[in-house]
Amino acid sequence: MRLQLETLTTAALLLGEAGAIQLPLFQSRPKTQAHLTADRELVSSSAYQGQVKADNLLKRAKELYKIAELGEPEYNHPTRVIGSKGHIGTVDYIYSTIAQLGDYYTITNQSFPAVTGNVFESRLVLGHDVPVSATPMGLTPATENKKPVFAPIVAVSNYGCEESDFPSDVKGAIAFISRGTCPFGTKSELAGKAGAVAAVVYNNEKGSLSGTLGTPTPNHVATWGISDEDASPVLKHLKADEKVDGIAYMNAMVETIQTTNIIAQTTEGDPQNCVMLGGHSDSVTEGPGINDDGSGTLTLLELATLLTQYRVNNCVRFAWWAGEEEGLLGSDYYVSVLTREENLKIRLFMDYDMLASPNFAYQVYNATNAVNPVGSEQLRDLYTEFYADHGLNYTYIPFDGRSDYDAFIRHGIPGGGIATGAEGIKTPEEQKMFGGKAGEWYDPCYHQACDTVSNLNLTAWEWNTKLVAHSVATYARSFEGFPERKKDSVGALAVKEYKYHGPRLVL
Ligand SMILES: *[C@@H]1O[C@H](CO)[C@@H](O)[C@H](O)[C@H]1NC(C)=O
Ligand SMILES: *[C@@H]1O[C@H](CO)[C@@H](O)[C@H](O)[C@H]1NC(C)=O
Ligand SMILES: *[C@@H]1O[C@H](CO)[C@@H](O)[C@H](O)[C@H]1NC(C)=O
Ligand SMILES: *[C@@H]1O[C@H](CO)[C@@H](O)[C@H](O)[C@H]1NC(C)=O
Ligand SMILES: [Zn+2]
């Protein structure tokens, strides 16, 4: 590193030895920093990757678990769910880590309103039966006055996606609606408009049904999901014009709180051409979320720290989203308030959510140009080439709205990402490809209290962090060969409705 004499002297005076020059110096001396940065070498994938060490990631994971413990007094176990002390601690940790890097980044706190729901108690009776599969939908409101209601059950025609599907006797009744065609939230809303006191959505495929109503509307009514199996005796009676009564009881609360996205953008690099990447800072209520998405969060934090040793040609923008687990709230908000000019500056968005699952597979989102903004596929291929070059196997997984890339691709911004698996089951073939255990979840602690430091595979985490470094270095150097954003591409793409919006089913 070549330093200007004046700078060197100041640094030596302040720190005692030139070799230990630290960034705090730059905070008060932006001009000096510009000189220094110009002397740094341009980021290269191999040098940047070479600095990624599993031990450093593990150290951060232990710190993050301590932060999750701040949520314990209120929740009886460690958690980093939005609104908890564990999440506030996480946001503080991210902010202060970046702030310590001086003027290399411009940091923004982006506060936004987030809806959270809590079901305290619920009961559903259909005829004489208590359906074992009955699951309150996420963000469901309570039944009136949080009291049980006794009411007839009335079948809704088709999929309950049109007002005309709701017969007039739904008024005062429990609406019984098939899953399909439109989101659960739409069905609940139309049921409420038709005067129903509650709604039950039954599965149109095998198994139980657990989903979320999504953004609350004034007409939502208390809503459950049940399995096809639990629905079939009720449907039989209703089809035979026999009366079936039910009891619906939901004691639940939906409230709006403020939470915060953290965005850090390099002060250098072409601000008209940004490479953006993100992970989510929050966990579910049930656990500390060290793999989901502590792993992605800390990979970004570690790489943001290492990047300060280099110069970049293009701007690099890191994001730590809040409210992902409640339905991609932070990333949705961020993209929704971008002006057209700001939208066009983002050349691509890379999603890093769950990089260290204990029973991992190297999964690459199958983001093709055919059905996503052009450039998504170039990014997909960058990932697969990396795995192939290192003799590692990979699989493609659906790019279907389950994480924070969703808002970006809906607004014309190319996107993609990698993951290591959540509640999916490893196949025997994948066991040959990745090791681990076939027949078990990729992450057996997904969304549970056991998503702790011991729920990380460090081999997978280190490789994936190197791959994230590779993705950042590649685009921070150059977008040559990467498709230009088209001026008319902002929100121009009609992305089809996905079954997921975040980790929970919406459709
Ligand atoms: C941004 O958030 C961090 C972390 O909570 C906090 O320490 C900091 O004061 C906030 N900064 C601004 C400008 O609001
Ligand atoms: C990837 O997505 C495309 C559609 O965009 C599809 O044709 C292809 O079969 C998918 N590949 C895999 C392996 O899922
Ligand atoms: C990749 O998968 C094949 C089986 O399809 C397996 O034989 C090979 O060992 C795997 N490679 C690695 C590095 O795990
Ligand atoms: C991580 O995965 C690799 C490859 O499957 C395995 O060899 C290693 O034992 C795992 N490490 C941990 C800590 O689970
Ligand atoms: Zn996640």
Side-chain angles (χ1 to χ4, degrees):
M1 183 162 62
R2 199 164 53 82
L3 294 173
Q4 295 243 321
L5 186 58
E6 173 200 302
T7 313
L8 188 64
T9 315
T10 318
L13 279 174
L14 284 180
L15 297 163
E17 54 176 303
I21 290 169
Q22 299 273 318
L23 283 152
L25 184 65
F26 307 151
Q27 275 176 328
S28 52
R29 307 185 125 239
K31 252 176 99 195
T32 309
Q33 188 235 351
H35 288 217
L36 279 175
T37 312
D39 283 348
R40 291 171 194 184
E41 53 176 288
L42 179 63
V43 65
S44 79
S45 178
S46 57
Y48 194 26
Q49 280 184 58
Q51 291 178 295
V52 171
K53 300 277 181 282
D55 275 355
N56 296 335
L57 294 168
L58 181 61
K59 241 181 252 160
R60 291 192 186 276
K62 289 176 180 166
E63 274 180 80
L64 192 64
Y65 185 77
K66 285 224 173 73
I67 292 168
E69 285 179 329
L70 299 173
E72 209 165 346
E74 198 183 349
Y75 291 83
N76 295 321
H77 55 255
T79 180
R80 299 184 301 107
V81 69
I82 55 168
S84 70
K85 293 215 162 64
H87 186 247
I88 292 166
T90 304
V91 170
D92 285 346
Y93 172 60
I94 294 165
Y95 186 93
S96 63
T97 304
I98 301 293
Q100 278 164 25
L101 303 171
D103 290 344
Y104 193 86
Y105 293 103
T106 306
I107 321 178
T108 311
N109 293 356
Q110 183 182 47
S111 288
F112 64 94
V115 182
T116 63
N118 217 337
V119 175
F120 303 105
E121 203 180 356
S122 84
R123 186 138 323 142
L124 182 67
V125 180
L126 304 174
H128 300 293
D129 303 319
V130 174
V132 289
S133 66
T135 311
M137 289 277 179
L139 300 183
T140 177
T143 42
E144 202 181 358
N145 299 324
K146 305 187 173 174
K147 293 246 165 64
V149 279
F150 181 82
I153 298 166
V154 170
V156 170
S157 309
N158 304 313
Y159 293 102
C161 297
E162 310 280 343
E163 281 185 27
S164 56
D165 291 342
F166 292 78
S168 58
D169 56 349
V170 161
K171 197 166 165 43
I174 299 169
F176 208 63
I177 316 166
S178 171
R179 178 185 181 191
T181 307
C182 63
F184 307 132
T186 305
K187 297 174 198 279
S188 181
E189 184 179 7
L190 291 175
K193 270 192 182 160
V197 294
V200 174
V201 181
Y202 55 89
N203 209 346
N204 61 351
E205 39 186 77
K206 282 270 155 276
S208 58
L209 182 58
S210 166
T212 179
L213 298 184
T215 311
T217 76
N219 285 307
H220 277 167
V221 287
T223 304
W224 285 261
I226 66 169
S227 68
D228 58 324
E229 207 181 350
D230 283 339
S232 84
V234 178
L235 285 169
K236 220 188 235 164
H237 287 301
L238 293 177
K239 277 194 183 122
D241 269 334
E242 291 160 13
K243 197 163 184 284
V244 186
D245 288 320
I247 299 169
Y249 166 53
M250 187 88 76
N251 179 0
M253 192 180 64
V254 176
E255 63 173 343
T256 302
I257 61 167
Q258 288 294 120
T259 186
T260 305
N261 293 326
I262 302 276
I263 316 292
Q265 176 170 326
T266 54
T267 46
E268 299 215 323
D270 177 2
Q272 302 301 319
N273 287 285
C274 292
V275 41
M276 186 163 186
L277 62 160
H280 64 90
S281 61
D282 62 313
S283 74
V284 291
T285 308
E286 289 79 8
I290 300 302
N291 182 35
D292 182 12
D293 182 27
S295 58
T297 288
L298 300 176
T299 285
L300 263 58
L301 212 49
E302 178 71 7
L303 290 179
T305 304
L306 293 172
L307 190 63
T308 60
Q309 300 169 30
Y310 301 98
R311 194 157 51 80
V312 291
N313 286 333
N314 294 317
C315 119
V316 181
R317 191 183 297 175
F318 293 86
W320 289 269
W321 311 118
E324 192 269 356
E325 300 290 6
E326 278 67 30
L328 316 180
L329 304 181
S331 52
D332 276 359
Y333 180 81
Y334 178 83
V335 178
S336 75
V337 299
L338 287 174
T339 61
R340 191 169 172 279
E341 287 75 47
E342 288 301 325
N343 176 307
L344 288 168
K345 290 176 185 170
I346 305 171
R347 294 293 298 274
L348 80 169
F349 174 73
M350 310 187 291
D351 189 60
Y352 296 121
D353 186 2
M354 302 183 71
L355 303 182
S357 305
N359 192 27
F360 70 91
Y362 292 119
Q363 303 178 332
V364 177
Y365 290 121
N366 183 23
T368 59
N369 286 347
V371 291
N372 295 287
V374 171
S376 303
E377 192 162 326
Q378 279 76 5
L379 174 61
R380 182 195 73 170
D381 295 348
L382 176 116
Y383 296 134
T384 56
E385 276 161 28
F386 178 92
Y387 288 126
D389 284 351
H390 292 88
L392 300 169
N393 293 309
Y394 61 87
T395 58
Y396 281 125
I397 55 163
F399 196 51
D400 62 359
R402 277 190 71 163
S403 191
D404 291 304
Y405 52 78
D406 191 57
F408 290 87
I409 57 170
R410 283 179 194 277
H411 288 78
I413 299 166
I418 55 169
T420 49
E423 84 284 28
I425 291 169
K426 188 173 260 187
T427 65
E429 197 186 9
E430 287 175 336
Q431 183 181 326
K432 289 191 196 109
M433 293 166 74
F434 305 107
K437 231 172 171 177
E440 289 189 3
W441 286 10
Y442 301 109
D443 180 353
C445 286
Y446 177 62
H447 285 183
Q448 296 162 60
C450 57
D451 187 4
T452 62
V453 174
S454 58
N455 192 43
L456 299 165
N457 184 291
L458 294 179
T459 311
W461 198 8
E462 190 177 75
W463 270 120
N464 278 337
T465 302
K466 284 176 189 277
L467 175 46
V468 178
H470 175 62
S471 68
V472 171
T474 301
Y475 299 119
R477 285 175 76 94
S478 168
F479 281 114
E480 211 186 309
F482 192 86
E484 294 281 342
R485 288 292 307 280
K486 296 229 172 58
K487 296 278 177 276
D488 61 358
S489 72
V490 180
L493 198 96
V495 177
K496 67 176 170 105
E497 282 297 318
Y498 295 127
K499 282 188 177 177
Y500 288 94
H501 189 67
R504 303 196 68 180
L505 280 172
V506 292
L507 183 82

